[in-house]
Structure formats: structure tokens, C-alpha cells
Amino acid sequence: MTSTELVTGAWRPKTEGDRHLVRSQLDKIVSDGRFAASKRYPQLLRYIVEQTLAQNEDDLKERTLGVEVFHRPPDYDTNLDPVVRLCAAEVRKRLAQYYQSPEHGDELRIELNPGSYIPVFVPPAPHVPDLEVSSADVPIKADVPSSAEQVRQKRTSRKTYWAVGLIASAAIVVTLVLGVRYWRQFEKPKSALDEVWSPLLTSSKPILFCVGASKVTTLPGSQLAELQSGADEDSFHQALVDMNDFVPFSDVQILSRFSSFIQAHAHTFRIQSFQTTVSSQLREGPVVLIGALNNDWTLNRTSSLRFHFDGLELPNSAGSMESRRLFPCGAPSLPACPPHTLYWIADRQHPESRAWQVSADARESHVLKDYAIAARFTDEATGQVILVAAGIAGSGTRAAGEFLTDEAGLKQLADSAGGDLSRKNFEVVLSSQVVNGIQGKPQVEAKTFW
């Protein structure tokens, strides 16, 4: 018995006439306004119906549909590109809307159950004519009960009705419980990736990507230069004169990764540099901040969090310069990076610690570590959701971007949070090891939820 026949009321076309009937109904559905205005939804519906008629139901899997219908590569990531799930959900909704119309109520039904890509065919119910009952056919009781008998009959009827009602209520409860269990076995659990991004994707407003631009001058052979080189897979360094026109390649990589994910969910977005972004735009919808030392808005919006970026200009070897904090909490901008500078991620619970730091003027090393913040929170000042992917250098920013699109890492984060990440703010400190210019997997150093 096939999976289609297991559904109650389902009908399997067996003859060419049956298949012609299904195709005629399919043509009628896809020509309806709910489908005609789209290219993807009729394309998916036609494919799964034809494969079912050809008895190829076992091939109707998400990856196969992504390759055959939407021309994705065979090894594409179904978590980052859930085009099949999204289109199937939309087809399922539009089929339900189609059959809710009274003029389509008596037609052959094509349905798509949750959790399945195999369509179900349900023939229309046969029309049963109303039967007229003649008064001559109704038996007439000759004896009329006495008043006492009528009272007893009423009491008996009430008890009977009460018992029948109790049984009916119990049956309804049992049916609902069994129904919930039945649908839950087909319901796909929400992924940790969906939990992290859903507060941004459920907004009706476009997502603003606010990207940094290089303002930090680094010495050739310094740790920042080497970390930046490891992230960008390129060792060139531009002159200071055109630094404001340069977006690090690591930031572009993360922007591309994020925007592809957003496009797969059919959500709108716009891209701006931090220099062209004004405060009023941060109140218009969700915001994604990419980069830290090259993005003033990242420094500004994370300055009040437990984990935040800090820096210190140290005295030179001649001792002619006093120590100077580069960007205390709340400062709106960051000057160009001078020699003898430390950058680190500070922890308000341990303000004395500088365990997560990078020196701007330390000489080249074969093994380096960069640090980053990956966070998502509702900003109290704007009321909007903000997602942050920001490292001290480019390799840290890329590590944060990889972490925020990695299902396995986010699943571990969700488990440690003890609940749905879509309902919680979170902030994570990450480290990224760069060995001879090759970046390793992001490692979680610390995390907090609220």
C-alpha cells in the first residue's frame, strides 16, 4: 500500500481516465488567481502531481525537489536555502484557500499534508438527495401518558442527554489529543537557525545591513594586519588616503552570506555603510551590524552590553605619551589606529580582565587569535531587533558571521539557553585562531542571555 492510500478518504488514480481527471483539476487550480500570478507555486504543484501519477512518490524529497524544480546544485544546503519548504507551505495554504470557495467545494480535491511533499487526491462526495417523509409513514401513539409519567420521562431524558453529552465531550477530547499527536509527527521542528533569525524575518519592515569601512591603519607585519590578511585571503594594504572607500573583504563575505540567507526567505533588505546611516534609520526596522572597529554604530549600540569593545593607546618607548582610552562606552566614533594600541572585548562582570585582546603593533606571529562578538537583542533605545557580527579584526568578523549561520553551533547555544532562542536576547564572545593565514572554526569563550 502506498503512502497516498494510507490517508483517510484518499483516492489513487489507477486508469488513464482517472489520471486525466486529476490533470484537468490541476489545470483548473493553477489557472486560478491564487496560483496564476506566481511561477514557482504552479511549477512545484505540477511536478509533485505528475510524479505521483507516475508512481514516483519515493522521489518527492526536499533535496530532489530543490534540484529538479528549482535548479539548485545537488549538494546545496537545505538549511541555508529552504526554498522547497517555503514554496510547499505556500502551495498548501493556497490550495486550502481555493477549496474554501463555495464554487470549488464539489470538485476533486488535491491536498498537500504538512510534513509531506506527496499530494493526496480526494474525490468529491456523492450527492445524496433529500428524502421527503409523508405524515402517513409516521406512527401515531394512541395512548397519551399521564402527568406523572411525563415527569418521569423528562427526568429519564435529562439523565440520558447528560450521559450522551458526557460521552460526546470525551470523544471530542480524545479526537483532539489524537489529532494533535498525528500532526506533530509530521511537523518539522524549528531549527536553531530559524530561532536566531525569526525575530528579524517576521518583521514587516526591510532589514538594514549596516556595514563598516576601514578606518584603522595597521602596521605591516602587525597582529591586526596578519589577522586581517588571514580573514581576507589577501595580503595587500591600501594607503591611508583611500581607506574610507575600502570595505574589508571579510565584511563583504559575511554580507553575502547573510543576504543570501535573507533572500532565501523572500524577505526584503537594504545595504548602507555606517557613514551614511543616521540614527532615525535604526528605528525603522531590524538592523544587522557588521564589523566593529570599522563601524561606529556597532561600537555605539553594543557599548551598554555586558560584552563590548574597548581600546587603549599606550605610552611610546620614549615615555612622551600618556595612556589614553580610545573609545569609552558611548563614544560615537573611533580614530585611526595609532601605534602602541591594544584592543579587547571587555566584560562588565570582570572589568579588570583583558583576556580577549589583540595588540595593533605586535610583530608577526605564526599563530594568532582574533576575538569577536555575535549577538542578537532588542535595542531599548530604538525598540528594534539588532543582530551583531563583529570582530576586533576581519577574521573575527568572519568567525561571528559563520557562527550565526551554523546550525550545529547555534543548536548548542540554544541548548545552553534552556529554551527557544527566538524569545531571548543573547551575546556570545568568540575566538578564532589564524594559523599561517588560515582561519579555524569559531570557539565560544563566553555567553550571556537575558
Side-chain angles (χ1 to χ4, degrees), residues 238-258:
Q238 286 187 263
L240 179 61
V241 65
D242 62 350
M243 274 294 194
N244 284 333
D245 297 326
F246 171 57
V247 176
F249 185 59
S250 55
D251 292 17
V252 175
Q253 284 180 300
I254 298 310
L255 175 62
S256 176
R257 179 186 288 257
F258 286 174

Side-chain angles (χ1 to χ4, degrees), residues 365-367 434-438:
S365 172
H366 292 295
V367 180
V434 179
V435 181
N436 293 329
I438 301 176

Side-chain angles (χ1 to χ4, degrees), residues 110-361:
I110 300 178
E111 300 177 351
L112 190 60
N113 289 328
S116 173
Y117 300 116
I118 302 175
V120 176
F121 310 122
V122 182
H127 180 70
V128 179
D130 295 333
L131 298 178
E132 294 185 2
V133 181
S134 171
S135 58
D137 297 331
V138 179
I140 301 176
K141 191 172 182 179
D143 298 330
V144 179
S146 63
S147 298
E149 290 175 342
Q150 290 179 0
V151 171
R152 283 195 298 272
Q153 290 177 358
K154 287 181 180 179
R155 289 177 180 175
T156 304
S157 299
R158 288 175 183 173
K159 291 180 180 180
T160 303
Y161 293 153
W162 183 85
V164 172
L166 182 61
I167 294 172
S169 300
I172 292 173
V173 171
V174 170
T175 302
L176 289 175
V177 171
L178 293 177
V180 169
R181 289 181 178 177
Y182 174 79
W183 288 115
R184 278 183 177 174
Q185 65 179 326
F186 293 106
E187 182 182 5
K188 188 167 184 177
K190 195 175 184 181
S191 69
L193 194 62
D194 291 335
E195 291 178 7
V196 168
W197 286 88
S198 61
L200 291 85
L201 296 172
T202 54
S203 172
S204 60
K205 303 295 184 181
I207 297 172
L208 169 63
F209 285 100
C210 181
V211 188
S214 283
K215 305 189 306 174
V216 181
T217 307
T218 57
L219 297 178
S222 70
Q223 279 195 5
L224 281 181
E226 290 301 310
L227 288 169
Q228 186 70 27
S229 173
D232 294 351
E233 300 172 356
D234 200 336
S235 58
F236 71 87
H237 303 286
Q238 286 187 263
L240 179 61
V241 65
D242 62 350
M243 274 294 194
N244 284 333
D245 297 326
F246 171 57
V247 176
F249 185 59
S250 55
D251 292 17
V252 175
Q253 284 180 300
I254 298 310
L255 175 62
S256 176
R257 179 186 288 257
F258 286 174
S259 60
S260 296
F261 179 79
I262 297 302
Q263 284 179 319
H265 286 75
H267 203 285
T268 57
F269 64 90
R270 65 182 190 274
I271 303 171
Q272 293 181 198
S273 73
F274 82 94
Q275 295 157 316
T276 59
T277 301
V278 296
S279 58
S280 61
Q281 292 176 313
L282 302 182
R283 297 192 292 267
E284 294 176 356
V287 179
V288 176
L289 299 173
I290 300 177
L293 304 188
N294 62 346
N295 192 330
D296 290 348
W297 282 118
T298 301
L299 301 177
N300 180 280
R301 304 328 292 169
T302 61
S303 63
S304 60
L305 301 181
R306 174 184 168 181
F307 303 117
H308 54 280
F309 295 93
D310 208 341
L312 182 67
E313 181 181 342
L314 302 173
N316 60 21
S317 58
S320 60
M321 182 192 304
E322 295 183 356
S323 296
R324 181 170 67 90
R325 295 297 287 272
L326 290 178
F327 42 103
C329 293
S333 64
L334 171 69
C337 166
H340 311 290
T341 304
L342 286 177
Y343 294 109
W344 67 91
I345 295 176
D347 182 356
R348 293 193 186 281
Q349 294 186 6
H350 303 282
E352 75 288 349
S353 174
R354 293 182 188 172
W356 308 314
Q357 75 171 18
V358 175
S359 174
D361 60 332

